[in-house]
Amino acid sequence: MISQSAFMVVALILFILGTISFFVKKDLLCQFMSIEVMLNAGNLALLSLVSAAGKLEAAVIVLFVILVAAAEAVIGLSLILLAHKKRKTIESDEFSQLKG
Amino acid sequence: MATAIFIVLSVISIGAVLGMMITKNRAYSALFLVLSFSSLGGLFGLLKAPFVAVAQIIVYAGAIMVMFLFASLTVGEKKEISGSARRRIKIFSVILSVILFLEIAAVVFRIVNKISPFDFQVSARDMGALIINRYLYAFELTSVLIVVAVVAALALSLEQKS
């Protein structure tokens, strides 16, 4: 039996890698992918922590998080495509002002 | 056996995220992320939550990452920009992330001793009963949220033509 702390450590590493990737990468698409990585690390931490207590709720909450992430991905990607259509770039450094 | 599976899946998952960070090609990043999320689904399975594991693979590795691939192919190749300011930002962000790592690690290592191992199976039937009974309101709200998201995406993409 693997201890829950091992899962927590994996979730921690994934979250930090997502954070570093979010700061280091300079285009919106890769930053969005990093956000998804962080979201998944949170899911893993939640599932490993709450499952240890024998609660079923964690799985349901993780399911809702996955569904909300799907909705978020739809909106985010359409916004990125719209930004690309307007500015011809998705480098986040280029978006220094909101004026279209 | 479970320990070996855990180690292999964790290494694949973390290595794939590292690959996503290192590669310059956006499409390769998306494919690395598919690998990472699939192995993360395996980790969910190890946590005795098979339904969430399958949902993770279908929704994330299947649906969401296909959208990412589509978007990365639509946007096309990026041009390389380099400069000393960018390098400074990179170093600064890595330092910030290391500080964040230390903070979260302090919390994690404080609580890991208190977590007890468990022997517990999350069956799809129990989860369904829980969703239909206690979380019905949240479930319906989620469906409304997804409809709103799809309509918003359509509205955003149709805006140009009017």
Side-chain angles (χ1 to χ4, degrees):
Chain A
M1 196 66 220
I2 315 132
S3 70
Q4 306 305 304
S5 46
F7 283 99
M8 284 299 285
V9 171
V10 171
L12 166 69
I13 294 173
L14 279 179
F15 188 89
I16 294 301
L17 283 181
T19 316
I20 295 177
S21 172
F22 181 82
F23 285 129
V24 169
K25 291 276 188 177
K26 282 299 166 199
D27 66 295
L28 292 175
L29 213 57
C30 288
Q31 286 179 324
F32 202 41
M33 289 185 205
S34 329
I35 292 175
E36 301 286 339
V37 172
M38 286 195 264
L39 215 56
N40 269 288
N43 274 350
L44 186 62
L46 181 74
L47 206 59
S48 69
L49 266 183
V50 186
S51 299
K55 295 266 193 241
L56 200 60
E57 277 80 355
V60 178
I61 292 171
V62 168
L63 197 67
F64 283 139
V65 170
I66 290 176
L67 293 178
V68 171
E72 173 223 332
V74 170
I75 298 280
L77 286 177
S78 68
L79 280 176
I80 289 175
L81 285 182
L82 196 65
H84 179 254
K85 216 187 282 177
K86 289 214 181 218
R87 300 274 184 97
K88 303 289 171 220
T89 178
I90 58 166
E91 292 285 320
S92 52
D93 285 349
E94 303 290 323
F95 296 96
S96 53
Q97 57 181 11
L98 285 173
K99 195 163 168 287
Chain B
M1 184 61 191
T3 314
I5 295 174
F6 170 77
I7 291 171
V8 169
L9 287 178
S10 315
V11 168
I12 290 176
S13 180
I14 292 170
V17 172
L18 275 176
M20 181 209 100
M21 287 171 66
I22 290 166
T23 182
K24 297 277 179 205
N25 193 324
R26 284 198 202 99
Y28 289 166
S29 296
L31 290 176
F32 269 124
L33 222 55
V34 170
L35 181 61
S36 173
F37 287 166
S38 307
S39 45
L40 214 59
L43 285 180
F44 287 166
L46 273 183
L47 278 169
K48 305 271 178 68
F51 187 78
V52 178
V54 172
Q56 163 88 6
I57 290 176
I58 291 175
V59 176
Y60 259 115
I64 294 184
M65 295 324 292
V66 167
M67 278 199 296
F68 270 100
L69 262 181
F70 171 75
S72 72
L73 294 181
T74 311
V75 167
E77 276 303 302
K78 60 181 165 189
K79 53 183 190 296
E80 274 308 312
I81 310 167
S82 60
S84 62
R86 157 141 316 171
R87 204 168 302 123
R88 229 180 310 135
I89 291 173
K90 258 183 194 171
I91 293 169
F92 187 59
S93 59
V94 169
I95 290 172
L96 272 184
S97 306
V98 168
I99 293 173
L100 185 65
F101 172 80
L102 291 177
E103 284 176 352
I104 303 179
V107 175
V108 166
F109 288 116
R110 194 171 300 165
I111 60 172
V112 284
N113 299 323
K114 295 178 183 147
I115 307 170
S116 55
F118 70 106
D119 193 17
F120 182 69
Q121 178 88 28
V122 183
S123 72
R125 167 185 286 193
D126 293 343
M127 256 184 82
L130 201 61
I131 287 175
I132 293 299
N133 290 322
R134 196 189 304 174
Y135 292 103
L136 185 62
Y137 186 57
F139 187 65
E140 294 293 336
L141 273 184
T142 313
S143 62
V144 172
L145 175 77
I146 288 179
V147 171
V148 168
V150 171
V151 171
L154 272 178
L156 281 174
S157 56
L158 287 180
E159 194 192 29
Q160 303 298 86
K161 287 175 187 163
S162 60

